[in-house]
Amino acid sequence: MDELTLLRNTRDDSREPSPTALTAGRAALLGRIADGDATHAGAQRHKKRRWMPRLTWAAAGVAAAMTGVLVAGNITLNAQFAYASDVLRSAATQTIQYADLVAGSDQYLRSHTHARWGVCDDTGCEPNDQILDVYMPADPDAEWVLYRDWGNMRGVLTGESIETTRAVDGQFYGPDLWVNVVFTDIPLDGAAAYEWISAQYNGGSASRNEDNFVRITDILRSGLVPAPQRAALLNALSRIPGVTATDNVANLDGVTGIAIGRNEMLRAGERQEIIIDPDTGLVIGERAMSGATLFGWGVNEEMSLTAIETTVVDTAP
Amino acid sequence: MSPDNDVIEQSARDPAVFATLYDRHAPSVFRYAAQRLGDHAADDVMSETFLVAFERRSAYDLTVVDARPWLLGIATRLMRKYVRLEATAWKGMTADLAAQIVPDLIDLAGARIDAHRLTQRLAKALRRLPEIDRDTLLLYAWGNLDYAAIATAMEVPVGTVRSRLNRARRQLRRAAGIETLEQETDHGRTDTAPQHA
């Protein structure tokens, strides 16, 4: 054993920051982020390039209606939440009855994502379309495959704009799993699934409810969740305070569904949504709506939009 | 879960996403700082590191997936203003360090030196290391980074990291009274966890 190893052996991994220090540090960071947003938005106001079409007057009407909702108070908010809960629980029921896509041996379940995410610099934001095709093999020991077209960007693995990579358990970019959960760990009862996800909260996000929402939608948007677990997660979503639903929202490829989202007041009202097919419970897309004038986006404009499609295929690239 | 570089990229248009990095890496930054400075100052370093990182995120190399070396590099530079505090922390730590290191080093030194004297010599050698060598050594020992990651953290070539570690190693050996030097050839970490942790 050499001296460097000896010194390394004195490393103390048992030290942990106190919850108070962690909370204070996070609050300081969020405060700086909020300050930066305000400064940046002011500086960029005259430079901004709007890359998504402005929302229609109808959408502006929705925004006005939302303002009205806030003024009207909890009664209307509760009605919205009740509607969203009803939509989600209905979708959960439909999901259980749906004959789900199941890959046979030697086949793959393929999740195809067409994403339009903005790439921003000091002059504003431009749209960049990416394609992500994830091939999950039926054989749990076989390698997953990711085909990724980065659009106008360079890939992080090879520097090329198109990359194909393989890894067991979908560990394409390091030790983290592509879907950060073992599907069979998800309780099949909605209430139990909600308790399960809430129990894993460790202080992240702007609020516990937001974090629960994000962790559930992170799982669902993979497009790879089996129907029983998907139904439980949709039911769990219906239990998160502040969740609302918007009918007839089109994904990036024009397929319509119901957008399920939350307005997070601690995040300047930004709204993250998943778009689901109410008949199958499958996630068919995502979108993010701005809650404030930031980085060239006006209030209630689309900041990002995706389309997700799940199919069974015989081969992977 | 998105990798760190994706999070940083996304934070350009959605700054609040940057808080994800805090949730992932704040404890790691704290541990590294706390071992060098003590818990109280480590709280401040942990917080300041992410404020600086947020301000500098546009300069982050998006080809680097793991942001931890970058964050520990920022923390290391921030710690330089705590030089007096660190000197005190080093003294306080000597006994603990010696208790763990000395028996093994005595074996290496062929029991030619008693434990008390060796402890004093090692503590002095560690305190007297040039700042950049000490930073490199402690990123390796307590930051748990490999050579390439230290190079990223300190913004120097890997060869420079190797030569700095060799230099620090020579001083520790000299302090321990071990004259035989071995050529450092290991480019990465071999032990994944400290054996005494």
Side-chain angles (χ1 to χ4, degrees), chain B residues 4 11 14-15 19 30 32-33 74-75 78 87 100 104 111 113 117 140 155 157-158 168 176 178 184 190-191:
Chain B
D4 292 345
S11 74
D14 181 5
F30 173 86
Y32 169 61
I74 293 170
L78 286 171
Q100 296 179 67
D104 290 319
I113 184 170
R117 283 181 60 206
Y140 180 82
E155 299 173 358
V158 172
I178 304 165
E184 177 60 61
T190 52
D191 296 345

Side-chain angles (χ1 to χ4, degrees), chain A residues 54-70:
Chain A
R54 279 182 178 280
L55 281 188
T56 62
W57 283 107
V62 170
M66 285 299 293
T67 305
V69 163
L70 292 173

Side-chain angles (χ1 to χ4, degrees), chain A residues 97-131:
Chain A
Q97 296 169 359
Y98 173 65
D100 211 359
L101 296 163
V102 178
S105 59
D106 298 331
Q107 287 188 312
Y108 296 85
L109 194 59
R110 185 188 75 155
S111 165
H112 169 81
T113 300
H114 175 200
R116 182 163 296 160
W117 292 319
V119 177
C120 301
D121 60 22
D122 290 341
T123 62
C125 298
E126 293 286 347
N128 180 45
D129 279 23
Q130 292 195 33
I131 300 292

Side-chain angles (χ1 to χ4, degrees), chain A residues 274-307:
Chain A
I274 55 170
I275 307 169
I276 64 168
D277 177 341
D279 294 330
T280 64
L282 280 166
V283 177
I284 59 171
E286 289 182 285
R287 71 172 182 173
M289 308 292 287
S290 63
T293 303
L294 291 173
F295 286 92
W297 283 287
V299 175
N300 232 15
E301 283 191 293
E302 283 179 355
M303 300 168 71
S304 65
L305 185 64
T306 74

Side-chain angles (χ1 to χ4, degrees), chain A residues 1-18 21-30 32-34 36-37 51 117-122 125 128 130 148 150 153-157 173-174 176-180 202-205 211 218 221 267 270 272 294-295 297 303-304, chain B residues 1-3 5-6 9-20 22-23 26-27 30-31 34-35 38-39 43 46-47 50-52 54-55 57 62-63 65 96-97 100-101 104-105 108 126 137-138 140-144 147 165 168-169 172-173 178 182 184 189-197:
Chain A
M1 188 179 296
D2 70 15
E3 304 80 7
L4 299 186
T5 303
L6 287 169
L7 186 58
R8 206 168 63 202
N9 285 344
T10 66
R11 192 175 79 240
D12 184 2
D13 283 340
S14 66
R15 289 173 185 261
E16 290 293 336
S18 67
L22 265 182
T23 304
R26 199 173 201 284
L29 177 62
L30 290 174
R32 178 66 59 86
I33 289 171
D37 285 353
W51 54 271
W117 292 319
V119 177
C120 301
D121 60 22
D122 290 341
C125 298
N128 180 45
Q130 292 195 33
R148 186 165 186 172
W150 291 80
M153 301 171 62
R154 287 185 299 125
V156 300
L157 297 175
Y173 297 110
D176 292 327
L177 308 179
W178 185 259
V179 188
N180 200 20
N202 63 4
S205 297
D211 201 67
D218 273 353
R221 71 174 176 169
R267 211 178 279 290
E270 184 183 310
Q272 297 282 344
L294 291 173
F295 286 92
W297 283 287
M303 300 168 71
S304 65
Chain B
M1 189 164 61
S2 301
N5 54 347
D6 278 2
E9 179 194 353
Q10 194 182 345
S11 74
R13 66 174 190 279
D14 181 5
V17 169
F18 198 83
T20 303
Y22 182 88
D23 298 333
F30 173 86
R31 276 193 288 274
Q35 196 150 9
D39 289 3
D43 288 345
M46 175 179 71
S47 178
F50 286 90
L51 297 181
V52 171
F54 176 74
E55 296 297 333
R57 69 193 191 285
L62 290 173
T63 63
V65 175
D96 179 50
L97 178 71
Q100 296 179 67
I101 286 183
D104 290 319
L105 271 185
L108 275 177
L126 289 166
L137 179 66
L138 295 182
Y140 180 82
W142 293 343
N144 197 27
Y147 286 21
L165 282 176
R169 187 186 191 190
L172 291 181
R173 287 200 150 216
I178 304 165
E182 297 168 7
E184 177 60 61
R189 304 187 63 82
T190 52
D191 296 345
T192 55
Q195 295 171 18
H196 300 306

